[in-house]
Amino acid sequence: MNAIRILANGILAFICLWGGVYLLGRESFFLRDRGHPQVGILFSGVSLTLLAFALFLIAAFAAAIALAWIRGALPMPGRRVIRPHPAYQGQIIVRYWYLVVPALILIVTSVMLAKRVPNPLFQPTSQSGMAGLFFSCRPDFAGRTASSEALLHVDLLFAYRDRNVAQTDLACGFEIPVIASVAA
């Protein structure tokens, strides 16, 4: 298990080093938003350089831990321990704070300097469909007195529209009894 940890840190260091070199060789880098793929963050200029140097620092951090484990300067967790105790992880971060803190500062600064732009690869065409889930909720307090029961109407509509397919709607509605306390 300990040899696997050393190998994993070596591979992580190599991947971060390669990623930093890759970013320095580019003019810009677009990172799309997971929730909304039509927008994202564009790293270019200074923000791209800061992100690349942050990856270099993370690579140095992983390599330093692997070398410390190989030399015996840093005690390794037990062979059967898959996930070390948080105190051990904190000890490593405190020991190598001079690599961790600047990397975090560079990442935060690069994200703050980057621009939020539309995805250049996302181009809706006439062939692409549009789907949506529409939700409406309206309370019904008509004719109710203080501390009486009211109804909450909930309407759900799923609509899909495409150029080649007729519009498909799936709708449902239900009512939820709610105790309403209205101040008189």
Side-chain angles (χ1 to χ4, degrees), residues 49-69:
T49 306
L50 291 177
L51 188 62
F53 283 121
L55 284 175
F56 290 149
L57 286 173
I58 294 171
F61 176 62
I65 291 172
L67 287 176
W69 280 341

Side-chain angles (χ1 to χ4, degrees), residues 74 109 122 124 143:
L74 184 65
T109 306
F122 184 77

